[in-house]
Amino acid sequence: MLDIKKIREDFPILKREVNGKPLIYFDNAATSQTPQVVIDAIVDYYANYNANIHRGVHSLSQEATDAYEEARIKIQKHFNAAQPYEIILTAGTTHAINLVANGFASILKKGEEVLVSALEHHSNIVPWQMLCEKTGAILKVIPQTESGELDMDAFAKALSPQLKLVFVNHVSNALGTINPIEEIITETHKVGAAVLIDGAQATPHIKPDVQALDADFYVCSAHKICGPTGVGVLYGKEEWLTKLPPYQGGGEMIDQVSFEKTTYAGLPHKFEAGTPNICGGIATGVGLDYMNGLGFDNIAAYEDELLQYATKQLLEIEGLKIYGTSAHKTAVVSFNVGEIHPYDIGTILDKLGIAVRTGHHCAQPIMDFYKIPGTVRASFSFYNTKEEIDTFIDGVKRAVAMLS
Ligand SMILES: *Cc1c(COP(=O)(O)O)cnc(C)c1O
């Protein structure tokens, strides 16, 4: 099991105070905190072997190239991708999704269909709307149920020969629902369409096996898995990555360039134009090592304990309603109390040193479904404690007393 006290020592930020109170960080679904080993890896890179990669014959360049490509292999192993070149390093989930959407602009035809889920983050909605505008393809939606799950009967009905692509998140960032992606992938493949899984919210809790899932694309952000901002992972099956055209043109992604004709580099470089976030890529590998050292099963079990502990106490508060009540959830609680605006509760909690997120969580369609402007969202990580949850519950009660 996890030694939480020891784990907390690994995160320097957890020692700081906010508004004169010890920081309680419950905004993990927005970004995770950074362990010292990752901070050290970033400092080590800039202090000792900062150089541009892939082109240099000199030693520093080779050291940096080796470290960057080793990180790619770590990521490949973590996701169980068949090949290292099926891992494209991007600037984040949003960038990875746009890369795929842009590629499909030359594949998708007018009248063909694209299916997204109602539980998506805006970054898994807007690129597909732009794609449909460009191609004349039709965007359809898998609706959600009251409990915040996908309506799988409606999904089954949406499967048609015109369907070419399905986009769904593994875990909803606004509600925490774990979606049945195994079933979605299997059923979608039966009609010959491809599936992109947005794993930004799942990867902090679940270690996905992309080959077992048979996902065509799986994307996530490093900053939610103890890594730095500005780095993301795009896993794509080799056949898809070969078929898709490059996203951006520039250095690194070419084979031969002349003014008559340019030929592109092979995978993964075809999709990594320009100097990448070298240090960030290396640090991402270190973050994954750190989390694998704790063990994803241990992380998920402990976080679920925190989720149950918090949910039970929250529901004892009069007028409090939790949005997203699926039995399959990660450690996210989205709630409102009576008519109190979520922003007001968030502001009072901040005065108490407690960081939660308030608002629509980049998922306005979900808020529209519940006819609310937003929620208060507390999201827990493996470095949080039950004592912190007790303080948070007291804080919510104080806020409610002041505001009602
Ligand atoms: C955070 C998040 C994103 C966006 O990630 P960026 O790092 O901002 O690109 C997309 N989808 C989900 C489910 C998320 O949680």
Side-chain angles (χ1 to χ4, degrees):
M1 288 300 96
L2 302 176
D3 182 348
I4 307 304
K5 199 158 171 278
K6 188 160 162 283
I7 287 170
R8 288 179 66 84
E9 296 288 312
D10 296 337
F11 291 81
I13 210 169
L14 298 178
K15 293 189 185 75
R16 72 160 280 185
E17 295 193 341
V18 170
N19 295 320
K21 304 273 194 294
L23 166 67
I24 294 181
Y25 185 76
F26 285 171
D27 195 17
N28 294 287
T31 200
S32 57
Q33 292 305 342
T34 317
Q36 189 65 48
V37 277
V38 172
I39 299 168
D40 289 346
I42 293 167
V43 171
D44 181 42
Y45 172 80
Y46 283 111
N48 294 311
Y49 62 103
N50 175 32
N52 211 332
I53 53 171
H54 294 145
R55 290 176 282 268
V57 291
H58 64 82
S59 300
L60 286 193
S61 175
Q62 282 174 10
E63 280 176 36
T65 303
D66 288 349
Y68 190 71
E69 291 307 321
E70 273 164 27
R72 193 192 305 280
I73 289 168
K74 273 184 198 172
I75 297 165
Q76 175 212 351
K77 295 205 167 123
H78 179 77
F79 288 95
N80 192 32
Q83 302 293 343
Y85 53 76
E86 291 178 320
I87 300 296
I88 310 297
L89 289 162
T90 69
T93 299
T94 304
H95 177 205
I97 293 172
N98 277 281
L99 186 160
V100 177
N102 181 75
F104 268 94
S106 63
I107 294 176
L108 221 52
K109 296 188 190 69
K110 193 167 183 276
E112 290 183 333
E113 291 172 6
V114 172
L115 186 60
V116 298
S117 102
L119 297 179
E120 297 310 304
H121 189 283
H122 294 160
S123 74
N124 205 20
I125 301 175
V126 183
W128 311 119
Q129 284 173 326
M130 291 162 70
L131 171 66
C132 288
E133 265 168 36
K134 227 184 284 177
T135 57
I138 301 157
L139 190 71
K140 296 200 160 175
V141 181
I142 314 169
Q144 71 162 99
T145 65
E146 188 61 33
S147 64
E149 296 178 305
L150 291 177
D151 180 340
M152 293 302 283
D153 293 334
F155 165 71
K157 289 201 189 93
L159 294 170
S160 78
Q162 288 78 256
L163 183 65
K164 295 298 159 203
L165 281 167
V166 175
F167 306 105
V168 58
N169 56 35
H170 193 168
V171 168
S172 156
N173 68 302
L175 307 177
T177 317
I178 303 173
N179 290 312
I181 59 166
E182 296 82 357
E183 184 183 341
I184 290 172
I185 293 169
T186 306
E187 295 306 312
T188 302
H189 283 167
K190 285 183 186 161
V191 295
V195 185
L196 179 141
I197 303 294
D198 172 354
Q201 208 56 236
T203 41
H205 321 281
I206 300 167
K207 184 172 179 162
D209 179 331
V210 292
Q211 289 190 83
L213 286 168
D214 200 24
D216 299 289
F217 302 98
Y218 194 103
V219 301
C220 70
S221 293
H223 69 89
K224 293 181 181 174
I225 41 177
C226 294
T229 55
V231 190
V233 173
L234 163 63
Y235 159 78
K237 273 188 194 162
E238 181 174 2
E239 54 170 303
W240 276 115
L241 293 180
T242 306
K243 215 177 288 177
L244 293 188
Y247 180 37
Q248 292 174 324
E252 192 71 21
M253 54 75 73
I254 47 83
D255 176 28
Q256 294 288 328
V257 177
S258 73
F259 283 108
E260 288 70 45
K261 174 147 183 72
T262 291
T263 53
Y264 304 126
L267 295 174
H269 308 293
K270 171 177 143 186
F271 292 109
E272 293 184 1
T275 302
N277 186 344
I278 302 166
C279 173
I282 295 165
T284 299
V286 176
L288 279 179
D289 280 348
Y290 178 81
M291 292 188 76
N292 278 309
L294 302 176
F296 277 82
D297 289 345
N298 296 335
I299 289 172
Y302 177 66
E303 288 174 348
D304 194 56
E305 224 179 285
L306 295 180
L307 174 68
Q308 304 310 333
Y309 187 77
T311 302
K312 183 166 170 291
Q313 295 195 66
L314 281 171
L315 288 174
E316 284 163 8
I317 297 172
E318 202 184 305
L320 188 142
K321 182 175 156 90
I322 291 178
Y323 300 92
T325 50
S326 168
H328 307 286
K329 272 180 72 172
T330 58
V332 171
V333 260
S334 243
F335 65 92
N336 279 323
V337 188
E339 298 298 309
I340 301 173
H341 200 282
Y343 178 83
D344 295 333
I345 295 180
T347 306
I348 291 176
L349 290 176
D350 180 59
K351 294 274 181 296
L352 302 170
I354 304 167
V356 294
R357 185 141 296 240
T358 63
H360 56 61
H361 318 299
C362 297
Q364 279 176 354
I366 299 178
M367 303 303 133
D368 292 346
F369 176 86
Y370 291 117
K371 301 189 173 59
I372 50 175
T375 67
V376 180
R377 181 187 71 183
S379 50
F380 311 120
S381 181
F382 56 82
Y383 43 70
N384 292 130
T385 65
K386 288 187 182 167
E387 292 71 39
E388 288 181 318
I389 290 174
D390 292 340
T391 308
F392 160 70
I393 298 286
D394 282 346
V396 174
K397 285 180 182 163
R398 268 172 78 173
V400 171
M402 285 170 73
L403 295 164
S404 48

